[in-house]
Amino acid sequence: MAFVALKLFVQTDGELFFTLDDPYIHLSLAENLLRGHYGINPGEYASPSSSILYPFLLAATLAIGLGDWGALALNVLPMLGAVWILAGLLARTRPRIELVLLLTLPLMILAVNGYGLVFTGMEHPLHLLASLLILAGVVRMVETAEPGQPPKVPAWMLAGLVLAPLLRFEGLALSLGGIVVLLSYRRFGAAIASLAAIVAAFAAHVSLMLRLGLPPLPSSVMVKSEASAAALDGAGTSLLTSMIDATSRVHNNEPARELVISMLLILLALFLPGHALRSRLTVGFLALFAGAAHMVLGKFGWFDRYEIYIAGTLLGALFWLAAPLIRRGNRAAAVFFLLICLALGDNYQDSTRKVPYAAQNIRDQQWQMHRFATEFYPHPVALNDLGWVSYRNDTYVLDLWGLGSEEARRMAESGRTPEKMQDIVSRHGVGWAMVYPLWFKDEIPDSWCRIADLHTIQVTAAHGNVAFYLTDPTQENALRAALTRFQADLLPSTRLEIHACAVDPA
């Protein structure tokens, strides 16, 4: 991890940049939380964060002066904890073939994207840790259960049960699975307390959102998850269709295929001797229930982060289920473990290698957009990449994609048109825009002048070209002068083309 960080800082000239624009959305919301406002723009409520809890944790790190480094700490420390838990599950094998298992360890870390995921600056390492706390707690329960006596429930398992869905909504399935396990072992008090805490937290969040005039789910979930949006809209047929589509995409999705393989291996491991049948079925149920839920309702990819929590849970469950076979000195089983980790981690080799260049991409594109919007032309702006431009920026930012603007999200839901686009920027006093033109085909008004194009590398940015549009003709001279100054102050790895309004560069 330190080596990847070193490469990142070399690529970004010693500055910390994350590999995605998304963490800066969380940071922007965290900034405003410290001001007592829930949203991106003062006086305009919005719910752009994909996590209920993570922006509040970031706000705490901002409050004590850690800045962006707080987000990195909230990634690195949980990832170290997650690797510790997985290594503990692996250590239960205590094999005679020590060398094979020592070789397995670094590959195990790669199998949960452990070297590169922390540089996304997102909540996923925390979610992975919470998920593994649940799995490790269930393992502790089945290992210590006495006949006729309810087993002890570790406090950290209860913490994982409550925190997992608050960090990521996908964590709800794993938490519900853990609560079912508690009920099956007659730990009714712990099950009820955990469920009550989850319900209370969600009720408080939903109540706050409704009071602010926002939908119960965050805008990012509504925009990015068809299943969630369909469920909230009450469209049962649409929900069923989106679930079928999500499942049918498996054959084109390598992480999804690996998830299916892991689930099949766990099914086979249920027949391995060693652990008591009930223990095997309990751990297998927890892993397979959560895995199936993610297959149907979850997402994959976007720099290999969405599925990591369930990939780690399945891997840990497989370690525990197969441990008795390896403990007996079965060399073939130990080598099989090594090959599994090699296969599961293969998908994340490429994203790990790309981390330094992804950080450079965010610096070259989104941070440059932020610089222009704050230093060169600090006027209300419309855009579709919300993060860096809104972070540390007190000027109004209109998110046309809908994550940071409920009004824009509803506009997109009903169908964007050139007329609607012109109307929303006019009502908010927005005179210029920075967007990906390919995201708004046939939706950009003819009256908007494509005045410039910023060209950068493309690694995690959706496109390598950002178009600058003049939406208010009265601002042309001022915007053109600012673009000329910006052009002279660009990073060497980027390029800005300025156009005459009569020319359509598309």
Side-chain angles (χ1 to χ4, degrees):
M1 193 187 294
F3 177 74
V4 175
L6 177 62
K7 292 280 290 181
L8 184 152
F9 289 123
V10 168
Q11 205 66 30
T12 59
D13 299 320
E15 298 291 334
L16 174 61
F17 287 93
F18 295 112
T19 56
L20 298 168
D21 187 56
D22 298 57
Y24 299 102
I25 301 176
H26 292 292
L27 286 163
S28 181
L29 179 57
E31 275 185 320
N32 284 300
L33 286 174
L34 292 177
R35 300 166 181 164
H37 175 68
Y38 199 92
I40 298 299
N41 297 299
E44 183 178 282
Y45 296 115
S47 179
S49 173
S50 53
S51 170
I52 294 175
L53 183 59
Y54 191 57
F56 291 93
L57 297 177
L58 284 177
T61 66
L62 291 177
I64 61 176
L66 293 181
D68 300 358
W69 293 92
L72 186 62
L74 288 175
N75 277 253
V76 171
L77 297 177
M79 181 57 76
L80 295 176
V83 168
W84 180 263
I85 293 174
L86 278 175
L89 292 168
L90 182 63
R92 277 169 167 75
T93 57
R94 294 189 179 87
R96 298 171 190 161
I97 313 101
E98 298 286 352
L99 178 60
V100 175
L101 269 296
L102 287 175
L103 291 174
T104 303
L105 186 60
L107 296 175
M108 176 202 79
I109 299 172
L110 185 61
V112 292
N113 198 9
Y115 303 112
L117 186 67
V118 298
F119 300 103
T120 64
M122 298 288 282
E123 69 273 13
H124 301 282
L126 271 165
H127 187 207
L128 173 63
L129 176 60
S131 303
L132 289 174
L133 286 174
I134 297 172
L135 173 65
V138 169
V139 166
R140 176 72 63 85
M141 286 176 60
V142 301
E143 286 183 339
T144 59
E146 298 288 342
Q149 295 292 327
K152 292 183 178 180
V153 181
W156 37 264
M157 175 187 172
L158 300 180
L161 289 171
V162 176
L163 291 175
L166 298 182
L167 289 165
R168 294 285 303 179
F169 288 90
E170 302 98 308
L172 187 58
L174 193 58
S175 292
L176 291 177
I179 290 171
V180 169
V181 170
L182 290 174
L183 292 172
S184 72
Y185 277 86
R186 295 186 292 136
R187 293 309 308 255
F188 303 116
I192 293 171
S194 300
L195 183 60
I198 293 170
V199 170
F202 271 88
H205 174 74
V206 170
S207 175
L208 174 63
M209 294 301 101
L210 294 178
R211 193 162 66 249
L212 299 180
L214 299 171
L217 290 177
S219 299
S220 59
V221 176
M222 298 286 289
V223 170
K224 296 180 181 180
S225 172
E226 295 176 5
S228 299
L232 193 61
D233 291 341
T237 304
S238 299
L239 175 59
L240 179 62
T241 301
S242 64
M243 291 166 63
I244 293 172
D245 288 345
T247 306
S248 66
R249 285 195 293 267
V250 170
H251 68 281
N252 291 324
N253 190 306
E254 186 175 348
R257 288 196 301 271
E258 291 176 353
L259 187 62
V260 171
I261 292 170
S262 297
M263 293 171 67
L264 291 174
L265 289 172
I266 286 177
L267 279 173
L268 291 174
L270 293 178
F271 296 96
L272 294 176
H275 296 301
L277 178 60
R278 184 182 182 185
S279 299
R280 280 179 275 154
L281 292 178
T282 299
V283 174
F285 159 76
L286 179 74
L288 294 175
F289 176 74
H294 189 87
M295 281 298 306
V296 174
L297 296 172
K299 293 177 70 67
F300 293 89
W302 202 242
F303 215 45
D304 297 325
R305 58 191 175 99
Y306 287 124
E307 74 281 357
I308 296 301
Y309 81 101
I310 194 62
T313 302
L314 293 174
L315 188 60
L318 189 59
F319 283 168
W320 185 82
L321 288 166
L325 187 63
I326 301 178
R327 269 203 302 265
R328 292 197 296 268
N330 190 313
R331 185 178 297 274
V335 172
F336 185 55
F337 257 59
L338 179 65
L339 294 176
I340 288 174
C341 290
L342 182 63
L344 296 178
D346 179 66
N347 183 60
Y348 304 120
Q349 291 186 48
D350 187 54
S351 58
T352 302
R353 181 181 57 81
K354 288 180 179 177
V355 162
Y357 309 101
Q360 180 195 341
N361 191 185
I362 298 304
R363 180 198 66 168
D364 288 1
Q365 189 177 110
Q366 280 82 3
W367 181 65
Q368 294 267 72
M369 294 162 62
H370 165 85
R371 286 184 64 224
F372 183 76
T374 56
E375 298 175 24
F376 292 85
Y377 201 69
H379 296 272
V381 60
L383 41 71
N384 59 244
D385 244 8
L386 179 65
W388 242 124
V389 178
S390 64
Y391 181 43
R392 299 176 183 170
N393 182 6
D394 294 328
T395 307
Y396 185 81
V397 174
L398 174 61
D399 178 19
L400 295 172
W401 203 244
L403 273 65
S405 167
E406 178 60 17
E407 181 185 0
R409 188 194 70 79
R410 293 191 179 278
M411 177 186 72
E413 191 177 56
S414 63
R416 281 185 292 259
T417 64
E419 293 75 20
K420 291 180 181 178
M421 293 276 277
Q422 182 59 52
D423 177 65
I424 195 171
V425 300
S426 297
R427 282 190 292 103
H428 287 280
V430 172
W432 66 291
M434 295 184 288
V435 298
Y436 297 129
L438 294 177
W439 283 22
F440 298 94
K441 286 184 177 180
D442 304 319
E443 297 168 358
I444 294 178
D446 292 337
S447 59
W448 290 14
C449 162
R450 187 165 172 176
I451 197 169
D453 282 88
L454 178 66
H455 302 283
T456 70
I457 63 171
Q458 181 185 352
V459 182
T460 50
H463 296 283
N465 179 66
V466 179
F468 288 60
Y469 285 93
L470 175 69
T471 65
D472 177 4
T474 64
Q475 297 188 25
E476 180 175 356
N477 290 338
L479 180 58
R480 196 174 292 280
L483 286 166
T484 301
R485 295 195 306 274
F486 183 52
Q487 189 179 47
D489 196 46
L490 280 175
L491 293 170
S493 51
T494 60
R495 180 169 58 90
L496 183 73
E497 288 184 282
I498 303 175
H499 313 296
C501 278
V503 177
D504 182 7

